[in-house]
Structure formats: C-alpha cells, structure tokens
C-alpha cells in the first residue's frame, strides 16, 4: 500500500493562511461562527479567536466592537497600524506560521487514542500544566484530538484546530515534564498530520516566535517557516 507520505502533496491555496482564522470561520468551521460579513468569532467555550475579513474594510472596527462588546479584551492577528480612538493596546508579540514540506514523512502512532467529550477535563488539565496555547472546554470539537495515557492519566496530546480550506492546523501539542524525551510530541504530530493528509488537506502549525525549541523540532520533522505574524491584545472602547 502506498502511504500518504509518499503521495504528491495536494494542491492547496496558501493565501488563505494569511488570514487563517477568518477562512476557517468563513469556510469549514462556519457552523461555529458568530458574527457577520466583516467580523466573526468562535463561541467562547470553543476557541478565543476573533477574525476580520480585512483590516482595510470600511466599518471593520465598528463590526468588531459590536461583535465582542464594550470594554472587552480581544486578540488581534495581522494588524500593525494605529488603533482607532478609544481602543487600548494591552500588549503583543510575534508568532510564526509553519507549513508542511516534502520532507514531512507522516505515519500513524498505534499507541495514541482518540480523545473526545469524556476526555475534555483531562485535556484541559494537561494544557494547564504545560501551556502549549489556549484550549477551551469544547476546543476538541474543532477536529481530531489524540493522546497518550499512562496508568489512566493523560500525559501527552495533540490535535486539530484552525481549518481554512485545504489546510488543517496542528495544535495543543503538550507532553508532561516527566514523560518528555520519549518522542511523544513528534509521534503525535506525525499521526495528526497523517490523518490530515488522508483527508486531502495539508498540515500547518503556529508557534510563538520565542518558542525556538519547538520551532526547531517542527522544522526537523519537515515543517518550514512560511511567515511571521504580529499579534496584539487590545481592549475595546467602553
């Protein structure tokens, strides 16, 4: 049998990755979307992401304010201009976006188990212990999540989050400190990527630019830097 890793990579429009959250909410994740034509968000218990169609659209700031409400803290991605009057900058940083290359050789991880609603509390606890990024009570609904249990305890996990057309983001890669250096993170990522490719999508990832160890590990697996992106936390006008 020919494995997915030996097949030519499927064609996918990479421009949707410039605004991945919007193209998720306007595409495969439309059933989760709250909002309208200019600004959308996930339910708060699913994911914290807010997205706009374009920062150049007239009325986008008003639509965003209406969507999240007055005095709300919200994360913005990809906006580097001046904030409108009344909006408060709270902090920010830089992230990286990585995409699969021909060097990514995916394969299933037989020991991994699929995770769902019954595992949500354990998934949240693992994320809280390891801080790989935001994870909410219903984040598992966004895609396929897998993990490793030891003596009943969930000690490692990874899964799928954003889903712009043709692409699926690998996220929530977390391994407890006392179970690291056993290859769990790499094998979970390769399993998630394998099933992404089986569906005809391509895999991508996001990481904080400061997380150089994780970035190096993903590049070693066969991911490559596509772009850097600024993100900011702001407060809407009261």
């Amino acid at each position: 049998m020919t494995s997915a890793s030996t097949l030519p990579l499927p064609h996918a429009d990479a421009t949707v990755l410039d605004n991945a959250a919007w193209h998720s909410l306007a595409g495969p994740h439309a059933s989760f979307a709250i909002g309208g034509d200019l600004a959308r968000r996930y339910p708060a218990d699913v994911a914290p992401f807010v997205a706009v169609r374009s920062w150049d659209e007239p009325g986008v700031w008003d639509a965003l304010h209406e969507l999240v409400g007055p005095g709300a803290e919200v994360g913005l991605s990809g906006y580097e201009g001046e904030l409108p009057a009344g909006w408060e900058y709270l902090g920010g940083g830089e992230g990286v976006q990585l995409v699969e290359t021909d060097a990514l050789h995916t394969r299933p991880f037989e020991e991994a188990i699929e995770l769902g609603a019954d595992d949500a509390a354990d998934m949240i606890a693992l994320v809280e212990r390891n801080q790989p990024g935001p994870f909410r009570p219903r984040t598992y609904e966004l895609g396929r999540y897998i993990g490793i249990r030891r003596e009943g305890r969930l000690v490692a996990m990874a899964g799928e989050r954003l889903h712009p057309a043709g692409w699926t983001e690998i996220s929530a890669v977390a391994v407890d400190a006392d179970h690291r250096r056993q290859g769990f993170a790499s094998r979970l990522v390769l399993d998630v990527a394998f099933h992404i490719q089986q569906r005809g999508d391509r895999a991508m990832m996001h990481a904080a630019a400061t997380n150089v160890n994780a970035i190096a590990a993903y590049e070693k697996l066969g991911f490559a830097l596509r772009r850097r992106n600024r993100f900011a936390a702001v407060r809407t006008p009261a």
Side-chain angles (χ1 to χ4, degrees), residues 2-234:
T2 302
S3 70
S5 60
T6 63
L7 295 174
L9 291 178
H11 171 75
D13 179 9
T15 62
V16 298
L17 300 183
D18 294 339
N19 195 355
W22 174 264
H23 287 288
S24 295
L25 288 164
H29 282 173
S31 62
F32 293 101
I34 299 171
D37 292 338
L38 296 181
R40 298 182 181 183
R41 64 176 176 85
Y42 286 92
D45 60 350
V46 173
F49 305 117
V50 174
V52 302
R53 179 193 292 178
S54 169
W55 292 112
D56 298 325
E57 290 278 358
V60 67
W61 291 98
D62 289 339
L64 185 57
H65 186 258
E66 181 180 355
L67 177 64
V68 300
E73 293 186 14
V74 60
L76 306 182
S77 178
Y79 182 74
E80 300 184 21
E82 294 292 325
L83 293 175
W87 291 72
E88 179 185 359
Y89 176 76
L90 301 176
E94 186 176 77
V96 298
Q97 185 181 79
L98 306 166
V99 295
E100 68 168 81
T101 70
D102 290 322
L104 181 69
H105 299 294
T106 66
R107 59 184 182 273
F109 184 14
E110 292 78 7
E111 189 179 355
I113 59 173
E114 294 203 9
L115 304 173
D118 292 342
D119 306 289
D122 288 345
M123 297 167 78
I124 292 171
L126 178 61
V127 167
E128 289 177 348
R129 293 195 298 270
N130 294 279
Q131 300 296 316
F135 194 90
R136 300 291 172 81
R138 293 174 55 213
T139 299
Y140 69 88
E141 295 182 16
L142 294 177
R144 175 177 173 269
Y145 280 83
I146 58 173
I148 297 295
R149 288 189 180 274
R150 286 289 184 266
E151 298 179 352
R153 179 179 178 179
L154 186 66
V155 299
M157 64 177 276
E160 303 172 355
R161 191 171 61 180
L162 295 180
H163 190 7
W167 299 84
T168 302
E169 178 194 25
I170 300 176
S171 182
V173 182
V175 181
D176 275 340
D178 54 347
H179 286 83
R180 293 173 188 164
R181 302 189 181 280
Q182 299 181 47
F184 285 163
S186 296
R187 296 181 72 181
L188 289 170
V189 166
L190 292 176
D191 181 290
V192 176
F194 175 85
H195 286 85
I196 289 171
Q197 290 182 350
Q198 289 287 90
R199 295 198 308 265
D201 279 359
R202 298 183 67 178
M204 57 97 166
M205 307 184 77
H206 290 102
T210 55
N211 195 356
V212 294
N213 290 336
I215 294 169
Y218 298 144
E219 289 177 333
K220 186 175 180 179
L221 289 179
F223 288 86
L225 175 69
R226 177 179 178 269
R227 62 174 291 169
R228 294 180 179 272
N229 189 38
R230 296 289 300 176
F231 56 89
V234 303

